[in-house]
Amino acid sequence: MTQKAGSYDTNKLEDLSLEKNRLEKQLTNFLELESRLLRAVGLEKSKKILEVGSGIGQISKMLLGIAPKAQLTAIEYSDDFVKEWKKRLASEIASQQAEMIHGDAHDIIPQLTPNYDFSYLRFVAQHIPQPGTLLKRIAKVTVPGGHIALVDSDDQLVINYPYDLEVRNLLKKIQEAQRQQGGDRYIGRKQICLLSQSGFIPQKAQVIHFTNKELPFDLLWELSFGFKSTLV
């Protein structure tokens, strides 16, 4: 995660291994799609990548796999995630291809050299207060012609059929709990406006749906509600 005052706090999780396992499954099941989308927005040509909210490092490995000539700066707030990240990217750290900066992205980004040509925020904006402020700071360290890619969710697009009142009530509780912690479960629809207001020129927005036809129901539920359910 990117900052302490947000709705994704690994210190509040009873079993961190469950969340790490969920993150692994998330990447495994969406790796092909995510890689294709990142290539389509120019990641392969990148020379300097900024990853905000780098988690346990599996996404960092993917980014460098797509752009093997790039250097990557990762920012992560969670102590546990930073330790895991450094283990996974030990060889990249040794070769100076990747660096980890541990702390609050709001504080760190203004101190960076403005030479990044690609920034990536993956399920980050929904958790942080004032995401627009963070995006403005990223814009200031982005070179002319640089790119930014955001991936996030919007709970209005969570549809259950047949209708289940218990599921809808659970979602409402989660949405309110995340709001109280500075997060926003409806951030997806706001990203284009946030980018425009931050100095970026939005090129494309894409909505992707998954159902239990694409993923087994138990897996879809775990990926969708595994972390959310810890908020209530």
Side-chain angles (χ1 to χ4, degrees), residues 43 53 55 86 106 114 121 133 137 159 166 176 189 196 208:
L43 176 59
K86 288 182 176 180
H106 277 284
L121 288 79
T133 300
R137 290 173 178 170
I159 302 168
E166 290 186 14
E176 178 58 21
R189 72 192 70 179
S196 296
I208 300 173

Side-chain angles (χ1 to χ4, degrees), residues 137-153:
R137 290 173 178 170
I138 294 173
K140 289 181 179 180
V141 299
T142 302
V143 299
H147 295 81
I148 184 170
L150 308 180
V151 175
D152 228 308
S153 58

Side-chain angles (χ1 to χ4, degrees), residues 63-81:
L63 295 173
L64 290 174
I66 297 172
K69 295 182 180 180
Q71 290 182 311
L72 180 140
T73 298
I75 300 175
E76 175 57 49
Y77 187 83
S78 166
D79 295 340
D80 291 300
F81 281 3

Side-chain angles (χ1 to χ4, degrees), residues 35-157:
S35 297
R36 185 170 70 250
L37 293 174
L38 287 168
R39 286 189 173 92
V41 294
L43 176 59
E44 284 181 295
K45 299 177 182 178
S46 176
K47 296 180 180 179
K48 191 75 172 177
I49 302 169
L50 176 62
E51 183 189 11
V52 182
S54 57
I56 57 177
Q58 85 276 39
I59 304 301
S60 305
K61 299 281 283 191
M62 177 191 69
L63 295 173
L64 290 174
I66 297 172
K69 295 182 180 180
Q71 290 182 311
L72 180 140
T73 298
I75 300 175
E76 175 57 49
Y77 187 83
S78 166
D79 295 340
D80 291 300
F81 281 3
V82 167
K83 292 175 184 176
E84 182 78 19
W85 189 96
K86 288 182 176 180
K87 289 180 183 178
R88 288 174 182 258
L89 283 96
S91 61
E92 289 84 356
I93 294 171
S95 66
Q96 298 185 330
Q97 187 182 18
E99 64 173 340
M100 162 59 69
I101 305 180
H102 183 191
D104 187 327
H106 277 284
D107 298 330
I108 293 168
I109 291 173
Q111 302 176 45
L112 298 176
T113 302
N115 61 355
Y116 293 91
D117 58 19
F118 196 97
S119 295
Y120 194 42
L121 288 79
R122 184 181 188 272
F123 299 113
V124 169
Q126 65 169 285
H127 291 295
I128 58 174
Q130 300 178 326
T133 300
L134 183 66
L135 292 175
K136 288 177 183 178
R137 290 173 178 170
I138 294 173
K140 289 181 179 180
V141 299
T142 302
V143 299
H147 295 81
I148 184 170
L150 308 180
V151 175
D152 228 308
S153 58
D154 191 312
D155 271 5
Q156 188 171 348
L157 300 179

